[in-house]
Amino acid sequence: MVPEPKIVDAALRACRRLNDFATTIRILEMVKYKAGRYKEIYPYVIQELRPTLNELGISTPEELDMDKL
């Protein structure tokens, strides 16, 4: 089960309050992992989170080229 975007949003904001960048990346990786074989879910979640990501200054693992490791 993939968490709803509003739950992920709250988690990212909590990580930002704690200034914990590593956990923000892990949360986004977890969402991608949980989406698994359903390829349309992860882009939807990122689309819904885009305003929050921009507001908090968070890059996705794909933007950091971490998905190629």
Side-chain angles (χ1 to χ4, degrees):
M1 294 185 50
V2 180
E4 293 183 35
K6 68 179 182 177
I7 294 171
V8 178
D9 180 82
L12 293 176
R13 289 181 186 279
C15 289
R16 184 63 178 162
R17 277 193 306 272
L18 297 172
N19 202 21
D20 191 356
F21 181 72
T23 304
T24 61
I25 296 300
R26 293 289 181 209
I27 289 171
L28 294 173
E29 288 176 337
M30 180 270 312
V31 170
K32 186 172 185 175
Y33 175 77
K34 295 294 269 181
R37 63 180 182 203
Y38 304 104
K39 303 296 182 198
E40 66 277 356
I41 294 176
Y42 182 68
Y44 167 74
V45 172
I46 293 298
Q47 172 191 336
E48 293 296 312
L49 291 175
R50 183 55 57 193
T52 301
L53 295 173
N54 291 340
E55 176 186 338
L56 300 177
I58 299 171
S59 300
T60 63
E62 293 78 22
E63 293 169 347
L64 297 172
D65 287 332
M66 293 179 67
D67 59 335
K68 296 183 178 43
L69 298 176

